[in-house]
Amino acid sequence: MAKVRIENLKKYFGSVKALNGIDIEIKDGKFVVLLGPSGCGKTTLLRCISGLEKVTEGKIFFDSTDVTNLPPKSRNVSMVFQSYAVWPHMKVYENIAYPMKIKGYDKNKIEEKVLWAAKTLNISELLDRYPAQLSGGQRQRVAVARAIVLEPEVLLMDEPLSNLDALLRVSMRSELKKLQERLGTTTIYVTHDQVEAMTMGDEIAVMQNGVIQQYGTPEEIYHKPANVFVAGFIGSPQMNFMEVQILKEKNELFLRNESLNIRLTDDLKTELGNKIQNKNDVFILGIRPENIHKEKTDISKFEPIEGKVYFIERLGSDTIVHLEFKGTRIVSKLPGDVKINEGESLKMYIDLSKIHVFSKIDGKALI
Amino acid sequence: MTYRKDAIPYLILLPTILYLVAFLGYPLIQTFILAFTSETGAFGNFQRLMDSGDFWKALKNTLLITGIIVPLQLILAIALALFVNMRFKGYSMILYVISIPLALSDVSAALMSYNIFAPTGYLNKILLKLGLLDRPLYFFGYMFQNREFWIIVLTEVWRATPLVFVIILAGLQSINKEYLEAADVFGFSSWQKLTRIILPLLKPSIMSALLIRTLFAFQIFGVVWLLAGRDILILAGEAYYWHNNVNDPHMSSTYAIVIAVVSLIISWFYISILRSRELEGETK
Amino acid sequence: MIKKIFIIFVSILIILWFLTPVFLIVLASLTPSEDYYDQQRILPKRLTFDHLYKLFVVLDGWRATLNSLQVAAMAIGLSFLVGLPAGYVLTRYVFPGKNAIRLSILLTRSFPTLIIAVPLIMIYLRLGIGDTLFSVALAHTSFILPFVVLITTSILSGISVEYEEAGMIFGLSRIGAFMKITLPLALPGLAASAIFAFIMSWNEVFISSVLTFVNRTLPAQILNTAMTSPDYFKFAAGTVMAIPAMVFIFFTRKYLMSMWGISLK
Ligand SMILES: Nc1ncnc2c1ncn2[C@@H]1O[C@H](COP(=O)(O)OP(=O)(O)O)[C@@H](O)[C@H]1O
Ligand SMILES: [Mg+2]
């Protein structure tokens, strides 16, 4: 078990800058998820940590040991590959035992540990089979068993659930998470699936273009996105974005564009007030669909919007309403049982305590 | 994949490259030097070549053999590949049978052919036994050049059609079945499917099979040498003859260069056809 | 039904067309000479191993066979020694110039090997290895090596890198991971390509005939003595050359398509 610290890590493939200055400190025993769209460098980062990929620049520490230039075998990491990479020419038992065999453990110890790992992953009956005789889910369990058998300092997983069918994926999520909690191994888990990230991660690092955009708990990532990218990437349906100007009138702040004119609440006003320099700047207003309601309540301030229902997606538990509102479309997420029809006109309320404002220039969140 | 700027991949590839340079590149240069040195100047050997009737006969025969066997092999191979690709029960056995000649050298193919067509060969025996002949039919010997020629063609077709077959079959198997299913949906007949879908999609395989076969056919040696000796002159045979029987490496190399140059022209020709077809496809 | 009859009919035609010459040469090599020269006798009264025996023992055919085997073994050994690592590098590494190198290796395959035969003699004489089996093996290596490089490239790229990387994660070095993980997985394919390489060398006749006079390989020996020996010796020799090649093809038939696909590209 170890703390993982990465300093200014860069990895270039020729002219492709797969990682462009990664700084992160992962506390001992945490389950950290690397989340980001395809091609953002998640796998590359994981492979740099494992030692399979040589870094172009920067340093990687496990606790206080600099492992940057160590080969994988000297790092005490283990890994679950996306394709599982369960060796096809070895039986399940040998697959799990092999890492220990390489390291020269004695036979009894190996057997004890293999049986333990197999029991932990519920694959004790499969030890005598070849990988070709296993289902995808079983193969994946073998890969995990092989990865934990040596109790590594750092456990790396690259989209381990992406090749499973939907149901199995959901049940494996909780199982892997529970396993990690039990073992307490520092785990770095790559996925492009935000639900997986939100449900499994103690902490999430959201990546884009080879850079970590935000590192924080799932709550922080969701409620306090650091920039437009994170705000847009997390949450489904996606956050509504609108360009607005911020205007000061009689000691009040207004977010205004052709269709909206929102007076900010006092809390937000003080928070935002300090951060605006040039009042002619354009800003981006972000509103999550789930923060637009059909009724208002007293607990917070609301801004009404009225428009025509353009399209409805009924998902059972939720209803996604696309509202045509003064030339823009606004998406809102309502309960599954609301009675609305396409084409009718509808009045809805934006919860003003939950809005986000970003700078248009660098995308950074202001509130 | 691992990306490395360092020298490891080059170091590992170095022996292969060095080997090929030493044992292909260097001798190739030597061949040129040999061909272009003679007592009568750089082009003396070529002059001698042009002036000899043998060269023109050899060139004519080589071109003729190539021109006859390559199209024959192609048609046969396409037919065989279409047949095997029906995937009937036991098709893999047929596949193996067809591929047997792939393992045979030209020498053994020639001997098999000789075994059938020799004066005491099986063909004559059978025809005599059936009373269709009263004297054996002769296929070999200087007086029967014409027959020799066709035996050579037959032998080459037998021996090398499987080569073309394998390439075509690989091409057939890589055709997405959905194209054919779509054709079924639109009510194409089998013939239309063949001419409108399968053959056009096979074009790359056909072209590469043609290229390879033409190149090899142009280097034909063993079959002719064994069955006809120098009754039927061919380029590779002359290269061999000048070296082994006349002991003149210069003339031998000159023939070799001619083979190489014509091979190059043929490749270039095929590749440019392939290119222009591709361009046509793009502009359409 | 009609389709079934058609398939059976065509299958029989194919089998007859491709197998009859093979069957007949084996038959001829086992036919006593008096039966062979009897125009009225198609099937021999009895079978004899006389010709094969004479070919091998009296006419030194065993030496030529042994020579062929030695040449093939040396050429295959050398080709794999040099070519396997090269194939590995071409699949597992990305580096500038990789495609150019692969393409040049590919191009050597369309190279008429016979045009280098003559200068090779002089080179070998200079190196003091003229008219030796080793010199033939070196020449054969020059066309087997590119085949081995290309075929191992294709075999190794069919084996997921992740197996090897898993090996490295779990405690093997790069070389160790290749030896312990990838090599066992590649072995059947590599064995099949070794057999193909063997056939290439076993069948090659032009270079062997030009390069050697005393130490001839089997096809070279046949080519140069066939004209002057009795027919049934020729057929015995043809049988001897054909059988091993056919048996080998049988054992590698699973790989047939891919091998020839690559060896011809
Ligand atoms: N071996 C490689 N060679 C060249 N480019 C690569 C290599 N591996 C990854 N890349 C590039 O680096 C970027 C990040 O890739 P990757 O880490 O695999 O993304 P992710 O796992 O987030 O989908 C991509 O643009 C990808 O094309
Ligand atoms: Mg990835």
Side-chain angles (χ1 to χ4, degrees):
Chain A
M1 266 121 279
K3 182 177 87 181
V4 177
R5 187 155 52 87
I6 295 172
E7 286 176 5
N8 191 29
L9 184 68
K10 292 184 178 162
K11 173 70 192 177
Y12 300 162
F13 295 105
S15 60
V16 179
K17 300 185 172 178
L19 297 178
N20 205 3
I22 299 280
D23 285 287
I24 192 172
E25 185 168 325
I26 294 169
K27 290 194 205 86
D28 191 1
K30 287 279 186 227
F31 192 113
V32 172
V33 176
L34 303 180
L35 174 68
S38 179
C40 70
K42 307 179 295 285
T43 299
T44 307
L45 178 53
L46 205 69
R47 289 168 58 88
C48 286
I49 298 171
S50 74
L52 288 173
E53 210 76 71
K54 275 193 174 164
V55 310
T56 310
E57 205 184 307
K59 291 210 171 307
I60 302 170
F61 297 90
F62 289 180
D63 289 330
S64 53
T65 326
D66 181 351
V67 299
T68 316
N69 293 313
L70 293 182
K73 63 173 181 153
S74 319
R75 293 195 185 193
N76 203 3
V77 293
S78 72
M79 188 155 169
V80 177
F81 290 80
Q82 189 170 3
S83 68
Y84 315 140
V86 175
W87 298 306
H89 59 307
M90 299 182 194
K91 288 183 173 170
V92 170
Y93 183 93
E94 298 163 66
N95 257 288
I96 303 173
Y98 201 59
M100 301 189 72
K101 220 167 107 191
I102 299 169
K103 300 241 156 98
Y105 284 79
D106 76 78
K107 250 195 147 95
N108 296 331
K109 179 80 182 162
I110 293 179
E111 181 166 351
E112 180 196 320
K113 294 287 289 181
V114 172
L115 294 181
W116 164 79
K119 191 153 164 270
T120 309
L121 272 302
N122 268 324
I123 47 171
S124 302
E125 329 77 65
L126 306 178
L127 287 173
D128 223 19
R129 295 209 201 155
Y130 278 100
Q133 301 164 303
L134 303 179
S135 70
Q138 292 170 327
R139 233 174 283 169
Q140 207 238 2
R141 284 167 185 272
V142 176
V144 176
R146 182 178 66 180
I148 63 168
V149 72
L150 267 181
E151 299 179 34
E153 289 192 327
V154 180
L155 177 58
L156 307 172
M157 303 198 208
D158 191 355
E159 312 214 7
L161 304 184
S162 63
N163 288 337
L164 301 181
D165 62 63
L167 266 177
L168 200 54
R169 203 173 326 164
V170 174
S171 70
M172 275 312 276
R173 251 189 235 154
S174 51
E175 204 171 325
L176 282 183
K177 174 72 180 158
K178 287 275 172 252
L179 176 68
Q180 189 271 343
E181 276 168 9
R182 200 145 28 107
L183 300 174
T185 312
T186 311
T187 300
I188 305 176
Y189 183 104
V190 163
T191 183
H192 63 264
D193 178 339
Q194 50 166 305
V195 182
E196 222 166 279
M198 299 295 277
T199 51
M200 295 175 84
D202 295 326
E203 248 131 39
I204 299 176
V206 183
M207 292 179 65
Q208 191 208 12
N209 294 337
V211 176
I212 293 180
Q213 303 288 332
Q214 187 173 4
Y215 182 53
T217 62
E219 292 72 34
E220 285 165 349
I221 301 274
Y222 180 80
H223 292 291
K224 293 207 168 308
N227 56 35
V228 175
F229 171 77
V230 176
F233 189 73
I234 303 288
S236 169
Q238 207 189 28
M239 186 183 275
N240 296 289
F241 291 111
M242 272 165 276
E243 285 190 5
V244 290
Q245 279 189 312
I246 301 186
L247 300 173
K248 205 172 199 163
E249 278 168 22
K250 291 185 223 148
N251 214 17
E252 296 285 355
L253 281 184
F254 290 89
L255 303 178
R256 187 174 294 164
N257 61 16
E258 309 89 75
S259 34
L260 279 176
N261 186 19
I262 296 176
R263 195 176 63 121
L264 285 183
T265 59
D266 291 345
D267 294 354
L268 294 180
K269 190 174 75 187
T270 39
E271 214 181 324
L272 193 59
N274 319 327
K275 293 180 186 164
I276 332 170
Q277 273 105 39
N278 190 342
K279 73 177 195 136
N280 282 329
D281 281 354
V282 181
F283 297 85
I284 295 173
L285 167 66
I287 308 159
R288 290 206 184 274
E290 45 273 50
N291 295 329
I292 303 174
H293 305 279
K294 207 165 158 251
E295 266 104 38
K296 56 178 173 179
T297 54
D298 292 336
I299 7 174
S300 121
K301 288 196 117 180
F302 288 89
E303 172 75 17
I305 50 171
E306 193 163 0
K308 206 168 81 176
V309 176
Y310 171 75
F311 181 60
I312 299 174
E313 299 172 63
R314 295 192 192 279
L315 304 178
S317 60
D318 300 305
T319 303
I320 312 296
V321 177
H322 298 244
L323 194 72
E324 214 155 50
F325 169 67
K326 295 191 183 160
T328 58
R329 286 220 181 105
I330 291 186
V331 178
S332 110
K333 187 162 156 183
L334 300 178
D337 52 5
V338 290
K339 305 229 163 2
I340 311 174
N341 292 312
E342 279 174 18
E344 75 185 34
S345 119
L346 184 67
K347 191 166 184 183
M348 293 208 280
Y349 300 91
I350 300 170
D351 183 345
L352 289 182
S353 64
K354 302 268 172 68
I355 62 171
H356 303 265
V357 177
F358 307 93
S359 151
K360 171 125 197 253
I361 300 159
D362 57 5
K364 290 233 168 69
L366 302 174
I367 47 173
Chain B
M1 278 213 195
T2 319
Y3 189 98
R4 289 209 177 170
K5 275 230 169 73
D6 42 86
I8 292 174
Y10 299 105
L11 282 178
I12 296 177
L13 283 170
L14 198 62
T16 301
I17 294 167
L18 283 183
Y19 195 96
L20 294 178
V21 168
F23 288 95
L24 284 178
Y26 179 67
L28 183 65
I29 294 167
Q30 291 294 315
T31 306
F32 271 92
I33 294 174
L34 279 172
F36 285 102
T37 41
S38 77
E39 284 151 17
T40 52
F43 293 95
N45 295 318
F46 288 92
Q47 194 58 49
R48 231 175 121 193
L49 205 73
M50 300 290 173
D51 293 343
S52 77
D54 282 359
F55 167 71
W56 295 107
K57 276 188 214 152
L59 183 64
K60 192 195 92 186
N61 285 333
T62 309
L63 285 173
L64 202 60
I65 291 175
T66 307
I68 293 172
I69 60 177
V70 171
L72 268 179
Q73 286 172 341
L74 183 66
I75 293 166
L76 270 175
I78 291 177
L80 283 174
L82 285 172
F83 178 70
V84 168
N85 204 35
M86 289 163 72
R87 302 262 175 157
F88 45 87
K89 207 170 142 233
Y91 84 100
S92 58
M93 200 264 283
I94 298 293
L95 187 64
Y96 170 61
V97 168
I98 297 177
S99 48
I100 282 178
L102 288 174
L104 300 176
S105 67
D106 39 5
V107 170
S108 29
L111 290 172
M112 287 178 188
S113 172
Y114 184 74
N115 181 36
I116 295 172
F117 297 104
T120 47
Y122 286 96
L123 184 70
N124 273 317
K125 283 190 181 183
I126 290 169
L127 292 180
L128 287 167
K129 185 106 183 173
L130 293 176
L132 295 170
L133 292 176
D134 35 6
R135 281 181 295 121
L137 211 61
Y138 287 88
F139 291 95
F140 302 108
Y142 189 70
M143 290 153 61
F144 304 104
Q145 273 178 50
N146 236 333
R147 293 181 190 169
E148 266 179 354
F149 182 86
W150 289 108
I151 298 297
I152 288 166
V153 167
L154 187 67
T155 311
E156 270 297 290
V157 167
W158 182 83
R159 186 184 75 85
T161 300
L163 250 80
V164 187
F165 162 81
V166 169
I167 300 173
I168 303 283
L169 184 62
L172 262 185
Q173 289 177 344
S174 68
I175 291 179
N176 190 340
K177 295 268 176 301
E178 288 185 5
Y179 291 134
L180 297 175
E181 285 164 10
D184 284 335
V185 171
F186 291 113
F188 280 42
S189 69
S190 302
W191 178 250
Q192 282 172 321
K193 269 197 286 190
L194 178 66
T195 53
R196 303 274 169 80
I197 295 172
I198 296 176
L199 289 183
L201 286 174
L202 268 185
K203 213 183 270 165
S205 312
I206 292 177
M207 290 307 287
S208 61
L210 276 180
L211 173 63
I212 288 154
R213 265 319 295 159
T214 313
L215 286 178
F216 284 155
F218 211 77
Q219 300 169 40
I220 185 172
F221 169 66
V223 169
V224 179
W225 196 253
L226 271 177
L227 293 180
R230 288 188 75 232
D231 300 346
I232 293 178
L233 299 179
I234 43 148
L235 292 175
E238 290 308 281
Y240 181 79
Y241 168 80
W242 278 96
H243 181 265
N244 274 31
N245 300 38
V246 191
N247 273 322
D248 184 343
H250 297 280
M251 282 301 280
S252 179
S253 299
T254 311
Y255 270 101
I257 295 290
V258 171
I259 294 172
V261 169
V262 180
S263 301
L264 263 178
I265 295 173
I266 293 171
S267 318
W268 175 81
F269 175 72
Y270 275 116
I271 289 168
S272 56
I273 287 186
L274 210 62
R275 280 267 174 73
S276 64
R277 289 272 164 80
E278 268 167 25
L279 288 181
E280 249 175 62
E282 275 166 24
T283 50
K284 253 174 207 166
Chain C
M1 191 61 211
I2 291 173
K3 193 176 160 190
K4 207 167 175 184
I5 292 172
F6 168 79
I7 283 173
I8 291 172
F9 180 72
V10 177
S11 297
I12 290 173
L13 274 187
I14 289 175
I15 292 171
L16 284 179
W17 167 257
F18 282 107
L19 289 189
T20 308
V22 181
F23 170 76
L24 289 180
I25 200 167
V26 177
L27 184 66
S29 69
L30 301 175
T31 301
S33 38
E34 64 273 14
D35 286 357
Y36 177 77
Y37 286 114
D38 181 353
Q39 289 286 25
Q40 289 300 315
R41 184 162 291 287
I42 295 169
L43 292 175
K45 281 197 294 269
R46 62 186 177 90
L47 297 180
T48 174
F49 286 101
D50 270 6
H51 311 315
L52 287 168
Y53 176 79
K54 279 195 191 129
L55 177 77
F56 269 111
V57 179
V58 182
L59 294 181
D60 261 7
W62 65 272
R63 261 194 50 197
T65 310
L66 220 58
N67 288 346
S68 273
L69 291 175
Q70 270 174 276
V71 167
M74 285 191 279
I76 293 170
L78 194 56
S79 297
F80 274 89
L81 196 68
V82 178
L84 186 62
Y88 177 79
V89 164
L90 285 176
T91 38
R92 296 294 199 249
Y93 286 79
V94 182
F95 52 92
K98 174 171 149 172
N99 278 330
I101 292 175
R102 182 155 47 197
L103 204 67
S104 340
I105 294 175
L106 201 69
L107 274 181
T108 65
R109 301 277 317 140
S110 64
F111 193 82
T113 29
L114 63 89
I115 80 170
I116 56 160
V118 174
L120 275 181
I121 306 171
M122 293 180 227
I123 295 169
Y124 291 150
L125 284 176
R126 224 176 299 148
L127 292 174
I129 51 170
D131 197 9
T132 60
L133 296 176
F134 183 58
S135 71
V136 181
L138 285 179
H140 284 187
T141 302
S142 69
F143 61 83
I144 292 176
L145 173 60
F147 166 75
V148 168
V149 173
L150 296 173
I151 199 84
T152 47
T153 306
S154 133
I155 291 171
L156 294 179
S157 63
I159 297 171
S160 166
V161 200
E162 292 199 341
Y163 293 136
E164 216 170 297
E165 289 179 344
M168 288 161 70
I169 291 280
F170 293 115
L172 295 170
S173 63
R174 185 175 262 275
I175 295 172
F178 176 74
M179 302 296 275
K180 297 260 173 64
I181 309 281
T182 309
L183 206 54
L185 290 172
L187 216 51
L190 292 179
S193 30
I195 288 174
F196 269 73
F198 171 84
I199 292 172
M200 285 183 181
S201 167
W202 175 261
N203 283 343
E204 197 287 321
V205 62
F206 189 98
I207 291 180
S208 321
S209 315
V210 171
L211 286 183
T212 52
F213 296 96
V214 183
N215 286 306
R216 285 204 149 125
T217 61
L218 189 61
Q221 182 77 11
I222 294 168
L223 188 82
N224 289 280
T225 56
M227 308 299 197
T228 52
S229 19
D231 282 352
Y232 43 82
F233 280 139
K234 296 177 192 165
F235 305 139
T239 306
V240 169
M241 281 185 58
I243 298 295
M246 280 165 51
V247 170
F248 278 150
I249 280 267
F250 181 77
F251 284 115
T252 56
R253 62 191 185 288
K254 227 176 74 191
Y255 295 88
L256 217 66
M257 300 290 295
S258 50
M259 291 286 155
W260 281 98
I262 285 158
S263 79
L264 294 172
K265 251 178 205 142

